[in-house]
Amino acid sequence: MLQLDEDQIKETLKHYQEITQQIHARVLSIRQMMDETSNQLIEIASYPKIDFGKTSTRCGTRKDLLDVYERYQELIEEKEENFAEELRELLVRAESVKRVYLCYQALGNEAYEIVDKLYIKKIPYKAVEAESGLNHRIFEEKRKLAIKEIQRLYESDRSDMQIVRYSNQRSHKKKRTVVEDDGQMSMMDFMNQEKAETESKTGSV
């Protein structure tokens, strides 16, 4: 799991939709390029084998052709490995973004409202502070504690599903039930499918 500081958590919440869309688009692009690379490897495998067992005045030419063939195959395989590595990194990033979002949803009501207005709805700080009815010192203290709570949950040993259950079990949050079904999860279903397919092709992450 990626390590995130408080500023990174805030930026993740602020730009959550853009980040998930960018990851989604890049994954699709990589998968398309991986398919094209796989087709190139299949094409290489179908080339007729060069027989070097026979002597020939053109042996040097044949050796040059083999060198080109082998180098081309190495480049294609290297490209495929690079795509797979980038895909694994994107999957880790996607899981991190998802977890931050779930931890934000698991906040208590007051902390949730502060974070939601500041970083999700992007309402100006002074307007949120004024609406809260708190003085600046107390409001800022609660804002910082809310971000620290997100970080604490994010770094905890709880699974994502346990964080969802923890949130839903809090009696004072009956009006805001957290479910893995609000847009970001459909994207994560896609990412989880990509992860399974990648691991089947390249080995476990």
Side-chain angles (χ1 to χ4, degrees):
M1 180 174 65
L2 292 177
Q3 295 299 308
L4 299 180
D5 60 27
E6 293 181 19
D7 287 337
Q8 289 171 316
I9 289 171
K10 289 186 289 187
E11 288 302 304
T12 297
L13 292 172
K14 282 181 182 178
H15 305 292
Y16 171 76
Q17 292 294 341
E18 299 97 310
I19 293 170
T20 53
Q21 289 169 6
Q22 288 168 6
I23 293 174
H24 193 172
R26 183 56 183 163
V27 167
L28 289 175
S29 176
I30 291 174
R31 286 309 304 271
Q32 181 178 353
M33 290 187 287
M34 288 181 74
D35 288 342
E36 291 171 357
T37 303
S38 295
N39 290 338
Q40 288 176 308
L41 285 172
I42 292 172
E43 182 181 348
I44 291 172
S46 68
Y47 287 169
K49 301 298 182 184
I50 301 174
D51 183 4
F52 288 93
K54 299 179 181 178
T55 60
S56 170
T57 57
R58 302 179 64 187
C59 184
T61 301
R62 291 187 177 184
K63 181 64 169 64
D64 290 342
L65 286 173
L66 180 62
D67 289 344
V68 171
Y69 168 88
E70 290 180 341
R71 182 55 184 153
Y72 179 61
Q73 185 174 23
E74 289 172 1
L75 289 172
I76 295 301
E77 290 174 347
E78 182 180 335
K79 186 192 297 185
E80 189 173 58
E81 290 173 2
N82 290 339
F83 286 150
E85 179 60 29
E86 184 179 355
L87 188 56
R88 283 191 287 267
E89 291 173 359
L90 286 169
L91 292 170
V92 171
R93 176 64 174 139
E95 289 172 350
S96 173
V97 171
K98 169 191 174 182
R99 188 171 176 87
V100 168
Y101 197 86
L102 289 177
C103 293
Y104 137 71
Q105 290 184 308
L107 292 172
N109 275 350
E110 186 176 42
Y112 175 89
E113 290 298 324
I114 291 173
V115 171
D116 182 64
K117 290 174 181 176
L118 286 176
Y119 306 116
I120 305 300
K121 296 176 180 174
K122 300 177 185 176
I123 299 172
Y125 182 99
K126 288 189 178 299
V128 179
E129 181 183 303
E131 186 179 348
S132 72
L134 303 171
N135 66 45
H136 175 72
R137 182 184 63 80
I138 294 177
F139 178 81
E140 180 60 11
E141 182 178 284
K142 288 181 179 293
R143 184 198 66 79
K144 289 180 178 179
L145 287 173
I147 297 300
K148 286 185 180 295
E149 175 65 6
I150 291 174
Q151 187 176 35
R152 184 190 69 78
L153 275 175
Y154 177 88
E155 295 176 350
S156 72
D157 293 332
R158 295 174 188 260
S159 67
D160 289 351
M161 184 54 67
Q162 286 173 329
I163 291 174
V164 172
R165 289 172 181 163
Y166 164 75
S167 179
N168 288 338
Q169 287 170 357
R170 300 175 77 171
S171 60
H172 62 286
K173 295 181 62 184
K174 291 180 180 178
K175 294 183 179 180
R176 179 166 50 87
T177 301
V178 179
V179 293
E180 297 194 63
D181 183 29
D182 59 354
Q184 91 272 16
M185 293 304 111
S186 60
M187 186 267 188
M188 288 309 304
D189 287 341
F190 169 80
M191 297 299 291
N192 288 336
Q193 180 181 352
E194 293 297 321
K195 181 178 181 179
E197 292 181 7
T198 301
E199 289 179 353
S200 68
K201 288 185 176 182
T202 63
S204 59
V205 177

